[in-house]
Amino acid sequence: MPTVVETSVNLRGLRRVGQRPPFLDYMVALWDYRHFIIYDAQARIQTGHENDRLGRLWLVLGPLLNGLMFYLIMGVLLKSGGGVENFIAFLIIGVFLFQMSTRAVRNSSRVITANKNVIHAFQFPRASLVLAANVRELLANVPVLITMLILVIVLPPAEEVTWRWMLLLPIVAFQFVFNLGLGLILARVVSVFNDASQIISYAMRLWMYGSCMFFSIDRFNEYPAVKALMELNPLYNVLHLARECLLYGGVGDWRAWSILALWSLGMLAVGMVFFWKGEESYGREL
């Protein structure tokens, strides 16, 4: 008779393929994919406008044309800039910075549905797709921010460059963190309910009006409850602090900085946990 050899297999530590890892392991995996995230962001910047004759110049032309449109409609026709010092620069900062969040949020929300084949073929932390989309937008907007600063310096009344301009760096950093957190939440929502991507477009337009992009919040002085609510808006505080530092010789009050910091860090924490909890569901519908 053949000899039967019994062997024991230790299954401890094995996980089902595709099983959601513990949160800390998930964060470590994201760090391990940092090179992929940066490479993917840079590659998509290179190919993002390859079919357009003007190429990446559209990254700057887009907000410039939007700024011109809003200036003609809101500034010239509707006179919404009344009482706003240096309204042209005020509007430029609003358009350029708000469009950064608009692009980041829209692109982040669609990464799961736009990368179904990759998700189905490979095992990797799906949050890296959202992070890559936000890094891409941040890198792509570097020339946009430089153009914004040049316009603030050149267009009359020309603003003087001071050390306060350096505060734009932490403002944009907080904005990036907030965009990332919100993008993580919306990416999971859109992966379940694709029609939400259409709703996001209208929501961002409404948010734009609530962020005082082309008018001063002082027009709501007679409505203190509305004004107080608008001052809690994180993107309003992004625009407000940037304008204070670049145009009005201030550094912003501590309350605005605190609101922006709390929104940014809180949104990132909630977004990361919310997205991680849905890790096993991404790609299952394929």
Side-chain angles (χ1 to χ4, degrees):
M1 291 181 61
T3 303
V4 178
V5 179
E6 295 184 0
T7 59
S8 61
V9 178
N10 185 5
L11 300 180
R12 181 178 299 177
L14 295 182
R15 287 204 307 261
R16 172 171 49 84
V17 175
Q19 181 180 353
R20 184 184 68 203
F23 184 74
L24 291 180
D25 292 347
Y26 191 74
M27 299 303 294
V28 171
L30 269 179
W31 173 254
D32 292 338
Y33 273 82
R34 63 191 182 279
H35 301 297
F36 161 78
I37 292 170
I38 296 175
Y39 175 80
D40 181 74
Q42 293 174 336
R44 291 180 186 269
I45 291 174
Q46 296 291 335
T47 60
H49 295 275
E50 61 181 0
N51 295 325
D52 300 325
R53 288 183 179 273
L54 297 180
R56 283 180 287 173
L57 189 59
W58 278 111
L59 292 171
V60 175
L61 287 177
L64 275 176
L65 294 176
N66 276 332
L68 177 60
M69 178 187 68
F70 282 119
Y71 175 72
L72 293 176
I73 296 175
M74 298 297 176
V76 177
L77 296 180
L78 300 181
K79 306 294 184 181
S80 68
V84 177
E85 183 181 350
N86 195 354
F87 177 68
I88 295 179
F90 179 95
L91 181 62
I92 287 173
I93 292 172
V95 171
F96 277 55
L97 289 181
F98 193 88
Q99 184 161 309
M100 284 179 56
S101 286
T102 299
R103 288 174 55 88
V105 170
R106 285 178 178 173
N107 292 337
S108 297
S109 66
R110 299 168 181 165
V111 293
I112 300 299
T113 55
N115 292 277
K116 289 183 177 180
N117 293 334
V118 176
I119 292 173
H120 191 239
F122 301 100
Q123 185 64 36
F124 61 97
R126 313 310 192 199
S128 61
L129 294 173
V130 183
L131 187 52
N134 280 269
V135 172
R136 177 172 73 247
E137 290 303 322
L138 181 64
L139 296 178
N141 277 284
V142 169
V144 176
L145 292 173
I146 294 174
T147 302
M148 180 187 77
L149 295 177
I150 292 174
L151 291 175
V152 170
I153 295 173
V154 172
L155 294 178
E159 296 292 336
E160 181 183 355
V161 179
T162 69
W163 66 267
R164 297 178 185 86
W165 285 40
M166 295 297 295
L167 294 176
L168 184 63
L169 295 176
I171 293 171
V172 172
F174 278 130
Q175 184 181 11
F176 168 79
V177 172
F178 176 80
N179 294 342
L180 175 58
L182 182 58
L184 287 164
I185 293 174
L186 294 178
R188 181 179 175 186
V189 172
V190 172
S191 72
V192 177
F193 182 58
N194 191 62
D195 290 350
S197 62
Q198 303 300 325
I199 300 174
I200 291 170
S201 298
Y202 295 101
M204 292 304 298
R205 293 177 195 174
L206 180 62
W207 202 347
M208 175 183 69
Y209 289 99
S211 300
C212 298
M213 194 175 83
F214 36 71
F215 55 83
S216 172
I217 197 173
D218 291 338
R219 66 172 50 200
F220 295 98
N221 287 339
E222 297 180 1
Y223 308 96
V226 175
K227 184 177 180 180
L229 183 62
M230 294 179 70
E231 288 175 340
L232 295 176
N233 176 359
L235 292 186
Y236 162 76
N237 283 286
V238 168
L239 306 188
H240 167 67
L241 290 171
R243 288 161 174 162
E244 283 292 313
C245 298
L246 299 179
L247 302 182
Y248 305 132
V251 296
D253 58 277
W254 68 268
R255 185 172 181 269
W257 282 102
S258 299
I259 291 173
L260 179 57
L262 289 173
W263 265 111
S264 300
L265 299 177
M267 186 65 74
L268 179 61
V270 172
M272 187 61 69
V273 173
F274 182 75
F275 188 91
W276 164 73
K277 284 184 174 294
E279 182 74 9
E280 294 185 38
S281 64
Y282 307 134
R284 279 193 171 183
E285 72 280 3
L286 300 177

